Amino acid sequence: EQTMAALSELADATLAAAYRIAVAELPAGTPQPRLAVVSMGKSGGCELNYVSDVDVIFVAAEDDDLPAATAVATRLIHICGLVAWPVDAALRPEGSRGPLVRTLASHLAYYHRWARTWEFQALLKARPATGDTELAKAWIDQLAPLVWHAAERPEAVTDVRAMRRKIIDNFPPRELEREIKRGPGGLRDIEFAVQLLQLVHGRVDETLRVTGTLPALRALVAGGYVGRADGEALLRGYRFLRSVEHRLQLQGLRRTHTVPDDPAALRWLAHALGYVANPGTSAVEAFRADWISHATEVRRLHAKLLYRPLLEAVARVPADELRMTPESARQRLEVLGFGDPARALKHIEALTGGVTRTAAIQRTLLPVLLPEFADAPEPDRGLLSYRQVSDKLGGTPWYLRLLRDGGPVAGRLARVLGLSRYAADLLARDPEALRLLADDAELTPRSADTLREGFTAAASRHVTGTEKPDPVQAITAVRALRRRELVRLACADVLSRTGALAPERPVDVTGIGVALTDVAEATLAAALRAALAAQPPMPGLRFAVIGMGRLGGYEMSYPSDADVLFVYEPPPGVPDDAASAAARAVAEELRRLLAMPAPDPPLGVDADLRPEGRQGPLVRSLAAYAQYYARWSKVWEAQALLRSRFVAGDADLGTRFAELVDPIRYPAAGLTREQVTEIRRIKARVESERLPRGADPATHTKLGRGGLADVEWAVQLLQLRHGGRIERLRGTRTLDALAAARDAELLDPADAVAMAAGWTAAARVRNALTLVRGRPGDQLPRHGTELAGVVQLLGGDDPGEFLDDYLRAARRSRAAV
C-alpha cells in the first residue's frame, strides 16, 4: 500500500509539473484556460504500478477554453511520456474517437444520455490530480448523482458481470493461467466485485464512496456488506497479487502482469518476494503454492460476491427506499399495503436501529424483503415472523451472513414467512433449520431408508449401550429430527408451489404425502426402539406396528395422526396374559413418549381403528386378531383394513398379519348386496353426522361433496368388491387403486379422471390450509385472507376463479362417486 501510494503521488507530481510546463509554453497573449486534470483508474485509486499508464480525463470550464485547453492537454501527454508514465485519456467520453477535452456541460450531457455502466464504474476512481482542482471537484460532484444511481439501471448488474467475462474471453488462453491481473483469481476479480458492491450499496452508504480498492473493501466489511473473513481473504489476495505485480515490473522495468515460465526468471521472482528454499520445498514451489491458494480463494469470493442474487434485488430498489428513515419507511409500508404501518415500523426500527454490523446488514436486507412480505395476503404477519426469527438468531454469526451471501436464502425466507404460518412457527422453534434454504438439494425429501436409519440411530444413542437407558432423551432427539424434516418439507412445499424452487425438483401433493408418511414411519420405528428399552425385557416377545388410514395409504398431511394397530406374538411357553401385559406396556409407552409436552409438533398415535374400537383391547396377539376377524368382524372393519400395512417392529410378524387380513379385505366372492348397502348406509351417516356444524359441504375438503372421503369410499368399495379376483386393486394408495380400477374397466375413464382431480384438489387445498393457517383445517373459506393465502400458495391469481375451479372439480368428482 505504501508503494502504490508513493507511486501515485509521484505521478501526481509529474502531471503537475508537466501541466505547468505546458501552460508556460502557450503562445504569448493566450489566456490561461481553466482546465482540470482528473486522475482515473489505478492512478485515481492511488494504486499505481511502477510501469503503467496514468489514466486521466481533461475537463474545460467553457467552450472558449477548448483550443488552449486542448493544446495544454496534448503537450502534457507528450511531456509525461518523455519523462515517466504514458498518459492515457481513453477513458474519456467516446474514448479515442471523442474530443480530448470537453467542457463540464458537455461531459454532463454525455453521461446523462449515452454513458454505459462500465463508464460509471470507471468514475468510482475519479479524483482531482492537477490543473483547476476546483473545476475537477465540481465535475466529480455533478456526476456523482449519476454514478450513484447507475446501479438502478435494469441492465447495470448484468453489464458489470458481462464486462468481467469479456475481459477473460478476450485474453489469450495460453497466458490466462499465468496472468495475475486479468486472469481468473486475479486483481480484476477483486476490483470488479468491490466496484459492483460500491455501485449498488454506495447509493445510500456514503462511507463506500472512496476511490481505492482497499479502502472501499474495508468500508464494505465495516458496513456489513462483505463478511469479515471474506474481506480479510480478499485483502490478503490483493496485497499478494500487487506485490507480485510490482516485483515483475521491477525485474525488467517493463509493463507486465504475467508470471514468467522461464525457470531463471521465476526463481528471481520468488526470491524477490522473499521466498527461500526449505527442506523438501524450493522457493519457486513455495511461491506457486501461495499463488494458487490466493488465486483460488479470490476466484471463489469473486463469484460469491459478484453473482450474489441479493445484489440484483437491492439494485432494483430505488435509493430513496433503501435509506429507511422512519418517515420514508412509514410511507413505503403504506404503499406496500401493510395493515398496521405503525407496528410494522416498530419492527423495522428494532431490527435496524443502532450502529452495529447487524443493524447495517438489516438495513440492506429489509428494503428487499418488504416487497416479498407485501406480496403475501398478510404482510404484517410475514414481517413479524421475520423479526421473531431475527431476534432468536441475531447474535448468531452465520445468520445474517447467510441471508446476505447465501444465494436465494433471503428471498426464500421472505416467501416462506409471508405465506406459511405453519413453516414460520417451525422456523421459530428451530431457527437453525434456516440453513436448509441455501441449497435445493436440502429441500429434497429424504428417502425412507435414510430417515429410518437416522431416527433410529438418534434414539439408540440414549437407550443402547448405556447403564441407564433414557427413553425421554431418546424421544426428544427423535422429535427434534422430525421437526427438522417437517421444516424441510413445509419450505419445499411452499417454494415449489410458488416457483421459488428449481423446476426440476417438483414437490407435488402425492410426493408430500409420501414424504410425511416416511417421516411418521421413521418416528414410530425410533419411538418403538425407545419404548422397548424402557420396559422390562421379555425375551422372544414379537411386536409390530401396523399402519392404518392415511399412514397406511402413504397419504398423510401435515397435521395427520398416525392411525395404527398393535399386534404381538408371545414367546413360546409364556402365558398369553403375561405377554399381553408386556405388549400393552410397550404400546402405552410408545404413545406416551410421542405425546409428551415439547416444543416440537406432536405425532398423535391413534389406535381407534382396532377391533371393537376404543372399547377393545389396545393390543392383540396375531391369534386373537385371527379369531376376531373370523367370528365378529364387520364390513367397515374390512374396509379399514384396505389401507393396513406393516410400518415398524417385527417385519415377519407384520407380513403374517397382512397374510391374515388379505382374505378379509379382498374377499374372494366380493361383497353381498347387504354389505354394499351397509357401506352406503355408513357413508350417509358419516356425511350427516360427522360433518362439523356450520360446515359448507361444497367446500369441506375431507367430508364434503366430491372431496377426499367421497373418492376414498368409492375406491374402497371397488377394492372390496373386486380385489379378490383383480390383484392390481390390492394396494393401499387411493390414486393407484383408482388407476387400477380404471384399467380393469370397473369405471368409466372420464369418471376416473374426475375422481382423481377431485381428490387431488381437496388434498392440495387441505395441505395449503394447514400451511397458511398454521393449524389443521378442512374447510376452504369462500373469502378473506386465508382464501387469498391458499390461492397464492397454490399458484393462483384470482380467488373467485380459484373457488369456481374447485367447486367445478368437486361437482364432477361427486357425480362420478
Side-chain angles (χ1 to χ4, degrees), residues 325-335 337-351 370 379-380 383-384 387:
T325 62
E327 186 55 37
S328 67
R330 180 186 293 274
Q331 293 173 359
R332 178 137 173 82
L333 292 168
E334 291 173 353
V335 169
F338 280 76
D340 190 348
R343 183 175 293 275
L345 186 59
K346 289 181 180 178
H347 295 322
I348 292 173
E349 289 172 343
L351 290 165
L370 288 175
D380 302 76
L383 178 59
L384 172 61
R387 181 183 173 186

Side-chain angles (χ1 to χ4, degrees), residues 440-675:
D440 285 2
E442 290 292 336
L443 294 172
T444 301
R446 297 294 182 254
S447 70
D449 289 343
T450 300
L451 291 170
R452 188 179 288 257
E453 182 180 337
F455 281 38
T456 303
S460 297
R461 281 194 291 271
H462 299 281
V463 297
T464 303
T466 61
E467 292 184 5
K468 185 179 180 182
D470 191 339
V472 173
Q473 283 298 317
I475 207 65
T476 299
V478 170
R479 288 177 65 170
L481 289 177
R482 176 173 178 266
R483 176 187 61 204
R484 178 63 57 91
E485 294 306 315
L486 291 177
V487 174
R488 188 193 313 279
L489 294 176
C491 291
D493 203 356
V494 171
L495 297 172
S496 179
R497 291 171 188 266
T498 57
L501 198 60
E504 63 269 18
R505 297 183 182 275
V507 185
D508 60 14
V509 68
T510 54
I512 285 292
V514 171
L516 288 168
T517 301
D518 289 342
V519 172
E521 280 190 44
T523 305
L524 288 168
L528 180 57
R529 173 71 64 88
L532 287 168
Q535 301 304 313
M538 176 174 280
L541 177 69
R542 292 187 162 195
F543 188 95
V545 181
I546 307 299
M548 303 287 285
R550 300 202 174 281
L551 173 63
Y554 293 94
E555 296 162 356
M556 293 191 76
S557 59
Y558 291 103
S560 292
D561 287 342
D563 291 313
V564 298
L565 300 179
F566 297 115
V567 57
Y568 73 93
E569 191 169 62
V574 175
D576 190 65
D577 56 347
S580 175
R584 181 180 179 86
V586 170
E588 289 179 340
E589 178 67 3
L590 184 149
R591 298 175 77 187
R592 183 189 74 83
L593 290 172
L594 286 174
M596 286 190 309
D600 308 303
L603 174 63
V605 178
D606 189 341
D608 288 354
L609 291 176
R610 64 186 183 267
E612 301 177 90
R614 294 179 182 177
Q615 282 72 45
L618 180 63
V619 296
R620 288 178 188 255
S621 67
L622 187 64
Y625 276 110
Q627 183 181 33
Y628 177 86
Y629 287 131
R631 299 182 60 184
W632 293 295
S633 111
K634 297 182 174 58
V635 68
W636 71 264
E637 292 175 301
Q639 182 182 353
L641 288 171
L642 286 168
R643 294 208 277 191
S644 68
R645 63 182 180 84
F646 166 76
V647 296
D650 189 300
D652 177 68
L653 181 58
T655 299
R656 286 189 286 132
F657 180 87
E659 293 170 351
L660 166 69
V661 301
D662 274 353
I664 299 163
R665 57 181 172 176
Y666 308 126
L671 296 179
T672 64
R673 183 187 299 273
E674 290 76 13
Q675 287 174 318

Side-chain angles (χ1 to χ4, degrees), residues 281-303:
T281 305
S282 68
V284 170
E285 288 171 337
F287 159 67
R288 280 191 178 280
D290 280 355
W291 177 25
I292 291 171
S293 174
H294 283 297
T296 301
E297 187 69 352
V298 166
R299 189 63 182 153
R300 180 185 74 82
L301 293 173
H302 165 82

Side-chain angles (χ1 to χ4, degrees), residues 550 701-704 706-713 758-760 762-763 766:
R550 300 202 174 281
T701 58
K702 184 178 180 181
L703 301 175
L708 296 173
D710 261 6
V711 176
E712 289 162 4
W713 278 67
W759 187 93
T760 302
R766 192 171 188 237

Side-chain angles (χ1 to χ4, degrees), residues 87-101:
V87 171
D88 188 347
L91 290 178
R92 66 186 184 270
E94 299 179 90
S96 57
R97 296 187 303 274
L100 182 62
V101 183

